[in-house]
Amino acid sequence: MAAGIMLCCTAFHASAVVNAEKTRVVFNSGSIAESLSLVNSEKEPVVVQVWTDNGDPTVSPDKVHTPIVINPPVFKMKPAEIRNIRLLLVSAGSLPQDRESVFWLNIYQIPPNTETQLKNEKRVVLPLKIRMKVFVRPEKVGELKESDIQKLQFSIRHDAGSDKILIQNPTPWHMTISSLKSGQTELSGVMVEPFGRQLMEIPKDQTTTNEIMYEVINDNGTRWSNKKMYADGQG
């Protein structure tokens, strides 16, 4: 009973303290440095650690290696402070030259007081981590344009006992599809690698039509919409 009372009196506070000005960072052809503005809330100071990884969020910063260096990697922010960080591309020569590469930026924020007392309510303030994509485009790969999302190809595959939508990406860009709908079928978002393919299973209680509508997230973090016809039974 005592343990139950303690749980009832404890509130876990996990609202974001530091936020970024955009949802992704893009190194376009020839760029070796990009900046990102962070803004702290007006309520309290915070300690921030920033690093990049290869897609595995469980790897600690001291054990991950990417061609991107962050400056500064650790810093304090005062209430309402705006801070610019620099992302430096230091070894792009090892990356593929015919397609875009992707890394992940981690913004780890630790409020100064992990435990506070307010009106007899115990609050535990949890450290928070924001993750966003970092795209690196070699010299031969230009900027992503709205017309490029029309190059995505969709078809239906009939595998043993289940139907799937096959998405093929013939472009050198990562295509981040935020929504996909065909008939009664609505599927969650997915990122398809350059020159890659992705299979999305169709729930058995849903049906599709011969038209598919989808949205792709662009460099600005907004969405481009498009619709296409696709052939049943291909793939």
Side-chain angles (χ1 to χ4, degrees):
M1 182 183 299
I5 294 174
M6 286 297 295
L7 286 173
C8 290
C9 294
T10 301
F12 293 94
H13 180 69
S15 59
V17 177
V18 174
N19 289 292
E21 63 170 331
K22 49 190 176 183
T23 61
R24 59 204 51 230
V25 177
V26 180
F27 285 86
N28 279 305
S29 174
S31 175
I32 59 172
E34 294 292 331
S35 63
L36 179 67
S37 294
L38 304 179
V39 56
N40 191 16
S41 72
E42 299 180 357
K43 296 180 179 180
E44 56 189 1
V46 66
V47 176
V48 179
Q49 182 179 12
V50 189
W51 73 95
T52 55
D53 66 56
N54 295 289
D56 186 352
T58 64
V59 179
S60 62
D62 60 326
K63 294 183 178 180
V64 67
H65 299 283
T66 76
I68 300 171
V69 174
I70 312 295
N71 185 30
V74 181
F75 50 90
K76 294 181 179 180
M77 294 185 70
K78 299 176 182 178
E81 181 181 358
I82 298 175
R83 173 72 69 94
N84 287 327
I85 61 173
R86 295 272 286 173
L87 289 79
L88 305 174
L89 186 60
V90 296
S91 57
S94 60
L95 300 178
Q97 297 303 299
D98 65 338
R99 68 195 65 192
E100 180 182 72
S101 298
V102 64
F103 301 94
W104 288 85
L105 176 66
N106 301 273
I107 303 171
Y108 187 75
Q109 45 194 283
I110 308 172
N113 298 319
T114 58
E115 191 172 291
T116 61
Q117 196 80 21
L118 180 63
K119 295 183 179 179
N120 298 322
E121 181 184 81
K122 189 178 181 181
R123 298 200 315 158
V124 177
V125 182
L126 303 177
L128 296 170
K129 183 166 68 173
I130 298 174
R131 279 171 60 81
M132 67 174 63
K133 296 170 186 174
V134 180
F135 297 104
V136 179
R137 294 169 182 161
E139 189 173 342
K140 295 180 181 180
V141 178
E143 296 185 24
L144 178 67
K145 298 181 177 61
E146 187 170 1
S147 58
D148 294 316
I149 75 168
Q150 300 174 13
K151 299 174 184 177
L152 288 172
Q153 302 166 4
F154 301 87
S155 58
I156 294 290
R157 295 192 63 170
H158 303 288
D159 294 330
S162 66
D163 292 341
K164 297 180 175 66
I165 295 177
L166 173 64
I167 309 171
Q168 294 176 288
N169 177 15
T171 78
W173 300 278
H174 289 82
M175 291 289 187
T176 303
I177 301 174
S178 60
S179 67
L180 188 151
K181 183 177 181 180
S182 179
Q184 297 179 353
T185 300
E186 293 188 39
L187 301 177
S188 57
V190 64
M191 184 173 71
V192 188
E193 296 181 352
F195 310 116
R197 54 172 57 191
Q198 185 78 34
L199 277 172
M200 306 286 288
E201 187 166 355
I202 301 172
K204 292 184 178 180
D205 60 341
Q206 297 184 16
T207 60
T208 62
T209 65
N210 61 351
E211 184 178 69
I212 192 161
M213 294 175 288
Y214 59 97
E215 292 183 330
V216 174
I217 301 178
N218 58 35
D219 290 353
N220 297 323
T222 57
R223 290 167 173 79
W224 287 327
S225 300
N226 195 41
K227 59 182 177 181
K228 297 188 75 171
M229 308 291 287
Y230 62 90
D232 184 75
Q234 289 189 356

